[in-house]
Structure formats: C-alpha cells, structure tokens
Amino acid sequence: MPVTEPELDVKVVGKAPVAEGVVLLSLARPDGGPLPAWTPGAHLDLLLGPGLVRQYSLCGDPGDSSVFQVAVLREPGGRGGSAYVHDRLAEGDTIGVRGPRNRFGLGESSRYLFVAGGIGITPILPMVEEAARRGCDWRLVYGGRTRASMAFADRLARDHPGRVELCPQDETGLLDLDALLGDPRTDTLVYCCGPEPLLAAAQERCASWPKGALRVERFVPTARNGAGAAEGAEEGATAGTVERAFEVELALTGTTLTVPEGRSILEVVEEAGVAVLSSCREGTCGTCETAVLSGVPDHRDDLLTEEEREAGDVMFICVSRARSARLVLEL
C-alpha cells in the first residue's frame, strides 16, 4: 500500500543571482494556476532528475500563490543538486516539486529573535516578514562570510531599519552569541538556521532558556547512529539506545517485519514491497514522517521538538529506531 504525496510540474520563470554563489529560482505552474499554500519555514522538494531530489526552503511571499521562490547556494563539495541548479537549470525548463512541507513553523509569541548564518536566511526571511505583519517585537541578527555572500541583506536592512543587524565575518567577526543568548527570556522564541557550528553554539547557550524557546533547522544531519541518537531539533532531546533488532508491525497490511541492527525501518519496509515516500534518508527533510500507533520510538532525526519526541506519536523511519521490542506503524 504505497504512501504518496502529490507531485506538481512547475516551470522556471525566473533565475537570478542574489548574492555571491546564490541564485534565486522562481517557479510557477505552466498553466498559470495557483500553487499549494505554504507558511513561513516551509521547504519544497525539487525533483531535478532521476535520484536527484533536493529540499530548499521557500523564501518568497506566502500570500502570493502564483510563484514559489527558493534560493540555492552553490556547494562545491555537495552531492550535485546545487551544481545542477546553477549550471543546468534554465528559465523555461520544467521540473517536478513535492510539498510544501513545514517542520520549522513560526510559533505564536510576542517577541522573536531570529539568528541566521549564510544561506540559513532563506527560511528566516518569510518569518521576519510575518513577524512584522503581526506587529510583534522582533530582531534579526544575520551573519555571513562577506557582505557580498549574504543573500537579501540589503533588502532586509532597507525594509526593516533598526531591526536587522548585518554581521559580515570579515568586518565584524563571528556572531556574538553570548551577548545575544546569554540572558534567558521567558517571552521570546529564538529561531536559528545556518551552518552546524552556529546551531550547536546556539543550542549550548540556550540550555538555560525555557523549554522549547529555541527552534533550529538543519540542512545536514547531526551524527547520531551507532552509539545512539544525537541532539534533536531542540536542546534537551533524549539520547538514543543501544543498537539491536526489533519488530515493526505494519497496521494497514497486518505484516510484521524484523529490523536488524545496521538497517533502517525504511529499508526493511521497502524491501517488503511497501512504497513509502522518502527523500533525504538522513532525518532532515520530514518526507518519511510516519504515525506510531504503539511502541516507543528511538528518535534520531533532526526535526522533532522535545515535546514531539516525548509524545511519540510520529517518527521518521529513515533514521529512527525503537526503544521498545516492537513498534506498530500506520503503514
């Protein structure tokens, strides 16, 4: 019984540089019809070719249903997705997309602190606009290697004077996270996206903040397999268990499968002939989210909040395993 998500063909209606090594893609339906709705923090799967599926944060206007916009940084040491976008994708080309999907949504708060590093500005950009629209108190601190490498920097500073602090590393050094996050606040949500050292440093400094105050989004997975799960999407995520085999019952088919050491639930389920939608296979995109009907998951993703881990009613089967001897999944 396959689990599917609609795929949509879109046309590249714009491709323009927005910073050093960053291009902005504008995507629209060939027939001009409306695109699926999305909220700040959402990302989109771009189906660039056989086996070449990449996730990029939507950075346009959620109120404009005529176009999707994503900004893509060229990654010289990447796996080919960004090179394809930069070198081969052109205006007029048609590609497939899946989503949007949101695991980094903007919660309700009277005050926000946004911290972005490099291309991590992309999911933060529509959040900033939404916070401004709501009339909330907010501040953005945005760092990058150089001013020229920081996408949307001039626009943000122009549109939101007094609320945006630009910190090119070659001019100001690294972001001063001690000053930003040293004093815990009970009225503030902190949203952080960027390279792993920035996220790890933010998590360390927010350890004394109220539970759930820090929200981060990763573009690459943390190390978590083998010895156990690593930190999750928020500070305080539970450590994993020792590797061992366990059983998985697929509730929709009545099939019971054994997941051995060293193999993922996703691999075993696919081998049994059950098609499950997946993409990154690293616990970062959210595509393989699966409902848990019984049993205790061992969460090893980089998406769920601490509260969601404790609830245990969903898991990402590409990386997560079981604490209990058996799981019952809605598959």
Side-chain angles (χ1 to χ4, degrees), residues 233-322:
E234 294 187 35
E235 186 69 20
T238 315
T241 55
V242 177
E243 291 288 310
R244 59 175 177 77
F246 57 93
E247 289 187 340
V248 171
E249 179 184 336
L250 311 184
L252 301 183
T253 65
T255 304
T256 297
L257 305 170
T258 297
V259 181
E261 297 179 31
R263 300 200 68 197
S264 70
I265 299 173
L266 178 60
E267 290 171 333
V268 172
V269 167
E270 288 179 330
E271 192 174 82
V274 178
V276 179
L277 194 67
S278 66
S279 183
C280 74
R281 296 179 179 253
E282 296 177 330
T284 58
C285 76
T287 308
C288 67
E289 181 175 349
T290 302
V292 179
L293 305 181
S294 179
V296 182
D298 175 9
H299 296 292
R300 303 190 179 193
D301 61 273
D302 292 306
L303 292 158
L304 295 176
T305 65
E306 184 178 351
E307 291 82 359
E308 290 168 332
R309 291 169 184 267
E310 291 173 355
D313 54 0
V314 298
M315 68 186 300
F316 298 97
I317 61 173
C318 64
V319 292
S320 296
R321 297 182 67 79

Side-chain angles (χ1 to χ4, degrees), residues 24 38 41-46 54-60 68-72 101 104 119-124 126 193 217-219:
L24 179 68
W38 61 281
H43 68 261
L44 197 66
D45 291 352
L46 266 57
R54 297 292 183 267
Q55 292 78 40
Y56 296 105
S57 297
L58 286 161
C59 60
F68 284 145
Q69 289 188 315
V70 297
V72 180
R101 194 179 303 112
F104 192 47
I119 199 63
I121 191 62
T122 51
I124 298 294
C193 187
E217 182 171 62
R218 285 181 161 86
F219 295 135

Side-chain angles (χ1 to χ4, degrees), residues 179-238:
L180 286 174
L181 304 172
D183 296 323
R185 297 189 56 137
T186 59
D187 63 344
T188 302
L189 288 181
V190 181
Y191 282 81
C192 184
C193 187
E196 181 57 32
L198 172 64
L199 304 185
Q203 287 182 314
E204 179 183 347
R205 286 159 178 80
C206 283
S208 58
W209 281 60
K211 185 177 179 180
L214 174 65
R215 317 285 175 88
V216 305
E217 182 171 62
R218 285 181 161 86
F219 295 135
V220 295
T222 53
R224 65 183 155 274
N225 291 317
E231 293 173 310
E234 294 187 35
E235 186 69 20
T238 315

Side-chain angles (χ1 to χ4, degrees), residues 134-156:
R134 293 180 187 179
C136 300
D137 183 15
W138 64 272
R139 178 187 180 194
L140 167 64
V141 180
Y142 176 17
R145 291 181 296 101
T146 65
R147 194 173 294 269
S149 72
M150 297 168 63
F152 312 113
D154 291 342
R155 164 184 154 189
L156 282 162

